[in-house]
Amino acid sequence: MAAKYLKFFKKRTAWLLVIFGVLYLMIAGRLFFIQVLNNEHYRKFAEDVRLRQPKTPAIRGDICDRNGSQLATSVPACAVYINPKQIKDRQKVVAQLSQLIGMDQADVDAIIGKAILKRRTFVYIKRQLPPEIGDKVRKANIPAVGILSESKRVYPCGSLAAHILGFACIDGIGREGIERAEDHYLKGRDGYTEAEVDSKGRIIPETERRTEPPVNGCKINLTIDAYLQHVTEEALAASFKKYHAVGATAIVLDPRTGEILALANCPAYDPNNRKGVKADVWRNRAITDLYEPGSTLKMVTVSAGVEEGLSPTEVMATCTRQGMQIGKNKVRCSLHAPYGSGHGAVNMFAIIRHSCNIGAAAVALRIGPDKFYSYLKGFGLQSRPGSEMSGETYFPLGSPDGWSAIKLANIGFGQGIAVSPLQMACAYGAIANGGKLMQPRVIREIRDQDGKLVRAFDPKVVRQVVSEATARKVTEMLMDCVDDGTGKTSKIEGYSVAGKTGSAQKARVDGRGYAPGKFIASFMGFVPARNPRLVICVAVDEPKGTHWGATVAGPVFKEIAQRAMLHLGVQPDEPLSPEIKVKGNSGA
């Protein structure tokens, strides 16, 4: 019996040895896999647990005007965070923290409560606080609470040039305007310090292995002149408010270089305080909004006509109250005293002076669709301007092969075509610049943190649109419009002015005809006309009470131009009236 049990136990022991042997081999194999075959993976895993690379945030680059005035900069700030799992006395932590950072206790408690429910180990309580508040929190040594250094984006001039600058979000990422378009230059590169940490994530002293310093963002110098920007915004806002418009845009451009000296939109906003501001207000209407230019496009029509050999003094059409029949359609003029019966026989000078639709339609028909389309392209009205501002749009007309006669006629006086205000400013700039279309620029240069030039934005001629002779002749027509035509409200004492008014109906949203009672009132021009220094474009969307460009937009042009000439030190090129001379001599 004993021998039988002995044999049974020997058999069991042998099986146990086999089982333990297999388990041992499995453990040994696993250890071999971990320590030999997969050594690199687990070594890196251990380092990831033991090592940390706390970031040293880079400082976002400044944005300045052409004279070095700061328009956007970054200032030191801090963020208060908490690890909910380390909280022992929640009520005490909430009371202390809320008092130090100026938050309501209920708000602090709600943030912590939500983090606990989601089992988070890190949650921000409040960000972009002044550093001195962070110092107070740090000295209070509240359990589970920590401080992180960061920076806050500020705009020292408030709403000035907001639609050009845009803004950066709380994480320092550009969201609109230049902040977005040039984010890769502005944001820089964060640095870090690699060191060992304890079980609570705290850096163990003297365990630093490697340090990579931050590379701060580049500084961007714009073409904008802060004073001219202020003048432009002030003049535009006055008209916007007076006529209860839904929107307005003004652009001041140097036709010789394509530099944008000012660009304003209404309604405006302050990028320092965007709370409650609808995203629709952020958009840069000057480059995103398309509208039918109306009579301001007649400048392009007569330019094409002169360039194609049509005589500026030749009668192009006879304008009557009955209008001009084109197939089954009829083109009419917007007539007013003393031309209630029509403008009569009109040449190109009269077309611009009186803003004659029938005359402009006749010129377009004489030129033909293919050639007229080529001039629209030449003046930059069928492509994005290329200003480096994000959001530029344009309206492609499509091949002129399928254009009907009435479509060509309508485009000739500015209907059936959509443009942006910047496109029109550039087109007038081409006439002011002897027929050369310049690429618009809003950035002069970009420099790194050491002041080294990273990128320069030099003036660029896009193309010669029309000859210098044609540009001079069209300038004469535009001067005539200001002296004796619809543009009289834009006349400036002592300076020659060339320009054109526009009062265009707005197309319906559904594309079916025009919205009754809704207009874009505009004025495009340059000064001094004989030696142009500035092109100024003004467009007011849906003004109330009157829709005439001469009434709504012309005075804005005049206000900006007058103050700009003084600011730039441009000498008058026309005789001053006796009253002005007396004031000048008295030192007033």
Side-chain angles (χ1 to χ4, degrees):
M1 192 70 163
K4 185 178 178 182
Y5 278 111
L6 183 62
K7 185 177 179 182
F8 174 76
F9 283 120
K10 281 183 177 182
K11 189 176 181 181
R12 279 198 165 192
T13 302
W15 275 110
L16 282 172
L17 287 173
V18 170
I19 291 169
F20 281 122
V22 170
L23 290 174
Y24 174 79
L25 288 173
M26 288 174 67
I27 292 170
R30 181 62 179 166
L31 289 173
F32 181 79
F33 173 78
I34 292 171
Q35 296 181 355
V36 180
L37 298 181
N38 215 14
N39 171 269
E40 185 62 26
H41 170 76
Y42 285 97
R43 185 190 63 78
K44 188 175 183 305
F45 177 75
E47 284 189 351
D48 289 343
V49 173
R50 191 175 77 257
L51 298 177
R52 288 289 185 274
Q53 291 184 345
K55 283 185 177 180
T56 306
I59 299 174
R60 193 170 178 84
D62 289 350
I63 303 177
C64 301
D65 84 335
R66 65 190 299 114
N67 300 311
S69 298
Q70 279 186 339
L71 300 177
T73 189
S74 296
V75 297
C78 69
V80 176
Y81 69 91
I82 197 166
N83 183 347
K85 287 190 174 182
Q86 294 177 356
I87 296 175
K88 293 181 180 178
D89 188 340
R90 178 171 165 179
Q91 190 174 356
K92 184 179 179 181
V93 169
V94 168
Q96 283 183 284
L97 193 55
S98 61
Q99 186 177 8
L100 287 169
I101 65 176
M103 276 183 73
D104 190 81
Q105 287 193 27
D107 293 336
V108 176
D109 191 60
I111 294 171
I112 294 173
K114 191 179 290 185
I116 290 172
L117 285 174
K118 294 183 177 181
R119 297 181 179 181
R120 290 182 177 175
T121 58
F122 176 96
V123 63
Y124 284 115
I125 299 298
K126 197 168 185 179
R127 298 185 65 184
Q128 298 199 336
L129 290 165
E132 53 268 26
I133 290 181
D135 291 339
K136 290 180 181 179
V137 174
R138 192 178 286 109
K139 287 176 183 177
N141 198 26
I142 305 171
V145 175
I147 305 296
L148 290 176
S149 295
E150 59 181 8
S151 62
K152 180 180 180 180
R153 198 63 166 168
V154 295
Y155 302 88
C157 299
S159 62
L160 190 78
H163 290 100
I164 298 171
L165 300 172
F167 57 85
C169 69
I170 197 169
D171 292 314
I173 301 169
R175 295 301 187 194
E176 292 288 335
I178 292 298
E179 292 274 29
R180 177 182 177 180
E182 307 301 329
D183 186 63
H184 55 298
Y185 286 114
L186 289 164
K187 66 183 179 182
R189 187 177 69 247
D190 292 340
Y192 64 87
T193 299
E194 190 177 79
E196 293 186 26
V197 295
D198 61 17
S199 59
K200 292 185 177 181
R202 298 172 298 194
I203 293 177
I204 300 171
E206 299 182 11
T207 62
E208 294 181 6
R209 293 191 175 189
R210 187 160 51 114
T211 299
E212 185 71 35
V215 177
N216 293 332
C218 294
K219 176 184 176 182
I220 294 180
N221 292 312
L222 302 179
T223 60
I224 298 302
D225 182 308
Y227 175 77
L228 290 183
Q229 181 68 30
H230 168 72
V231 166
T232 302
E233 291 185 9
E234 189 175 64
L236 187 69
S239 182
F240 173 74
K241 183 177 180 181
K242 180 178 180 179
Y243 295 103
H244 306 283
V246 299
T249 293
I251 301 168
V252 181
L253 181 130
D254 186 337
R256 303 166 302 175
T257 62
E259 290 185 332
I260 297 171
L261 303 181
L263 186 154
N265 292 293
C266 290
Y269 73 100
D270 185 349
N272 291 304
N273 183 18
R274 304 186 303 277
K275 190 175 181 180
V277 179
K278 294 180 180 179
D280 181 60
V281 177
W282 301 344
R283 79 179 190 277
N284 187 349
R285 293 169 178 265
I287 62 172
T288 62
D289 286 19
L290 300 176
Y291 71 103
E292 291 195 358
S295 295
T296 56
L297 192 86
K298 289 168 185 169
M299 177 278 293
V300 175
T301 305
V302 298
S303 296
V306 174
E307 188 72 5
E308 287 300 312
L310 300 181
S311 171
T313 56
E314 178 188 349
V315 173
M316 293 291 138
T318 300
C319 177
T320 66
R321 192 178 187 84
Q322 288 70 40
M324 177 184 183
Q325 194 73 36
I326 301 177
K328 295 180 180 180
N329 302 284
K330 187 170 282 190
V331 171
R332 297 182 185 276
C333 255
S334 180
L335 301 173
H336 48 82
Y339 301 101
S341 298
H343 297 123
V346 290
N347 58 23
M348 290 190 199
F349 277 88
I351 290 169
I352 296 298
R353 184 189 312 122
H354 304 308
S355 200
C356 181
N357 290 350
I358 291 172
V363 173
L365 291 169
R366 287 274 296 273
I367 297 169
D370 291 329
K371 286 184 178 179
F372 190 49
Y373 178 70
S374 70
Y375 282 102
L376 293 173
K377 287 180 65 177
F379 275 102
L381 303 180
Q382 288 296 289
S383 58
R384 292 182 177 86
S387 65
E388 290 287 326
M389 291 184 283
S390 61
E392 288 185 344
T393 55
Y394 78 102
F395 177 76
L397 284 169
S399 173
D401 295 342
W403 290 7
S404 63
I406 189 62
K407 179 172 182 177
L408 175 59
N410 284 339
I411 294 174
F413 58 84
Q415 285 189 348
I417 178 174
V419 298
S420 71
L422 183 57
Q423 284 180 309
M424 287 304 292
C426 292
Y428 273 76
I431 294 300
N433 193 35
K436 293 190 289 290
L437 179 71
M438 302 298 295
Q439 181 175 326
R441 297 185 297 140
V442 76
I443 302 174
R444 294 193 91 182
E445 61 180 18
I446 299 175
R447 294 184 177 272
D448 66 16
Q449 61 179 347
D450 299 318
K452 184 180 177 182
L453 185 65
V454 174
R455 185 180 175 190
F457 295 77
D458 298 320
K460 180 182 177 183
V461 178
V462 179
R463 67 182 69 89
Q464 184 81 35
V465 186
V466 294
S467 67
E468 283 191 42
T470 295
R472 283 195 299 271
K473 187 57 66 176
V474 174
T475 297
E476 290 177 25
M477 298 178 197
L478 295 171
M479 291 173 68
D480 182 49
C481 177
V482 173
D483 291 336
D484 297 308
T486 59
K488 289 179 181 178
T489 55
S490 61
K491 291 179 73 171
I492 302 171
E493 184 71 42
Y495 295 93
S496 58
V497 176
K500 182 72 189 75
T501 56
S503 302
Q505 272 189 287
K506 287 185 69 174
R508 290 167 59 102
V509 177
D510 59 11
R512 298 178 181 179
Y514 293 91
K518 294 185 177 182
F519 291 83
I520 301 281
S522 61
F523 186 90
M524 313 283 164
F526 46 91
V527 59
R530 296 186 181 91
N531 184 24
R533 288 290 304 276
L534 298 178
V535 168
I536 302 173
C537 154
V538 181
V540 181
D541 187 5
E542 292 187 33
K544 309 299 186 297
T546 179
H547 63 265
W548 299 114
T551 305
V552 178
V556 179
F557 171 95
K558 181 178 180 177
E559 174 72 11
I560 296 169
Q562 281 180 321
R563 296 173 69 177
M565 293 296 98
L566 290 173
H567 174 66
L568 298 174
V570 179
Q571 294 298 311
D573 66 338
E574 288 195 340
L576 295 171
S577 66
E579 292 83 3
I580 299 293
K581 287 180 180 178
V582 169
K583 289 181 180 178
N585 291 335
S586 66

